[in-house]
Amino acid sequence: MSPSGRPLEGQKALVTGASSGIGAAVAVALARAGAAVGVNYHSGSEAADAVVAQIRSVGGEALPVRADVSDEADVVRMYDAVHAAFGRIDIVVANAGLQKDAAIADMTLEQWRGVLDVNLTGQFLCVREAVRRFMAQDTTLVSRARGKIVCMSSVHQQIPWGGHANYAASKGGVTMLMQSVAQEVAGQGIRINNIAPGAIKTDINEDAWDTPEAREKLLKLIPYGRIGAPDDVARAAVWLVSDDADYVTGTTLFVDGGMSLYPAFRDNG
Ligand code: NAD
């Protein structure tokens, strides 16, 4: 911990998909913890500008960066922009993701590829570029690790999800990507982990909480009895990239109020 008491003081971070939901909360939380933050957005800069303004209003450093994470050249440009502004990169939270839901019999190749391109290939491109940058820069005194990566996965990396086969397959893929990379680069001082959120109230799952009926159905799946907030995930991300988690790599931190505990079995013991 730095003398300021902020765990990420002096560190430089990049968060993808940071103009809304979980990514926005993570960006703000990393900044509160002392990091300068690249705030990636896909299109329309207004929401990213608002996140940047929120960070700057409390004395933090932030930079909006446009990029489609599924586009190789865009990803390289995004890292170049963050590196040019901050001089180095210590933390990457690969958070961008989307859903294109359909029953398997109706799922188009476009829906399949659209989700895999962003949720899995996008993670690959961001993780690969992070590792390249971490390896190319000197180690730092501000962190014990040479670099830290968090991949935003989902409870659906392990819970099958009918009607969302593309999404569940992408998140399962992220898990093996993360574990394989963790094994490969641990010796170079690079840590990489997943966060697997359960049901977090954001735009991506609005239809699961926007009516009382939908809410009640969703709460049956959450033993802890409440829908998660983006800040629940953001606090976990700050810990995972801090030195407090320095011996943690290749693992998944479930932030799900117990959703992955097979809640349907609660009363059948
Ligand atoms: P969200 O829709 O608010 O955020 C997703 C972000 O990704 C958006 O800002 C979007 O612009 C961005 N994005 C989409 N395609 C992109 C691209 N090609 N390039 C760059 N950015 C792109 O939803 P969220 O809930 O905040 O989702 C964030 C992550 O958390 C996703 O990976 C999602 O799968 C995961 N997740 C969410 C929940 C939940 O309950 N909300 C649960 C599990 C996992």
Side-chain angles (χ1 to χ4, degrees), residues 10-268:
Q11 298 194 45
K12 316 297 178 188
L14 167 63
V15 183
T16 67
S19 60
S20 66
I22 292 170
V26 170
V28 171
L30 295 181
R32 280 209 193 98
V37 186
V39 175
N40 161 249
Y41 64 98
H42 183 203
S43 54
S45 62
E46 300 81 9
D49 289 342
V51 174
V52 167
Q54 190 185 344
I55 290 171
R56 289 181 181 158
S57 73
V58 291
E61 198 180 346
L63 173 82
V65 211
R66 200 213 70 79
D68 175 349
V69 297
S70 67
D71 183 291
E72 189 172 22
D74 261 18
V75 170
V76 173
R77 270 195 295 271
M78 169 172 72
Y79 275 79
D80 283 344
V82 174
H83 193 269
F86 300 154
R88 58 182 295 118
I89 302 176
D90 305 290
I91 296 164
V92 171
V93 180
N95 163 79
L98 47 72
Q99 290 180 214
K100 292 180 188 291
D101 308 331
I104 191 66
D106 302 325
M107 189 174 285
T108 63
L109 184 57
E110 196 186 358
Q111 287 171 320
W112 172 265
R113 283 195 176 136
V115 170
L116 271 288
D117 280 356
V118 174
N119 293 13
L120 184 55
T121 304
Q123 293 274 0
F124 156 68
L125 292 170
C126 290
V127 166
R128 184 184 68 174
E129 202 56 31
V131 169
R132 287 176 173 169
R133 306 276 166 155
F134 295 160
M135 303 287 278
Q137 66 193 12
D138 292 338
T139 49
T140 166
L141 295 176
V142 292
S143 170
R144 294 183 73 179
R146 183 192 284 260
K148 286 90 47 134
I149 304 169
V150 172
C151 297
M152 204 56 71
S153 178
S154 163
V155 288
H156 297 296
Q157 72 174 53
Q158 78 172 36
I159 302 177
W161 202 16
H164 307 74
N166 48 0
Y167 184 83
S170 74
K171 298 298 188 179
V174 166
T175 305
M176 286 312 292
L177 168 71
M178 177 279 290
Q179 290 179 333
S180 302
V181 174
Q183 189 192 60
E184 190 179 321
V185 300
Q188 278 81 53
I190 297 171
R191 297 195 293 111
I192 174 168
N193 293 284
N194 276 5
I195 290 179
I200 310 297
K201 206 170 173 184
T202 70
D203 293 349
I204 209 171
N205 58 1
E206 193 176 351
D207 56 353
W209 49 260
D210 69 344
T211 65
E213 300 75 34
R215 212 180 130 73
E216 198 182 318
K217 201 169 149 212
L218 180 59
L219 283 173
K220 286 200 177 99
L221 299 175
I222 309 173
Y224 202 57
R226 71 170 171 85
I227 299 173
D231 269 344
D232 289 313
V233 180
R235 281 189 290 270
V238 169
W239 176 76
L240 210 39
V241 300
S242 76
D243 278 356
D244 284 346
D246 188 55
Y247 209 48
V248 180
T249 194
T251 197
T252 295
L253 179 54
F254 285 82
V255 181
D256 69 348
M259 186 179 247
S260 51
L261 298 174
Y262 300 93
F265 283 79
R266 252 178 305 198
D267 307 319
N268 292 332

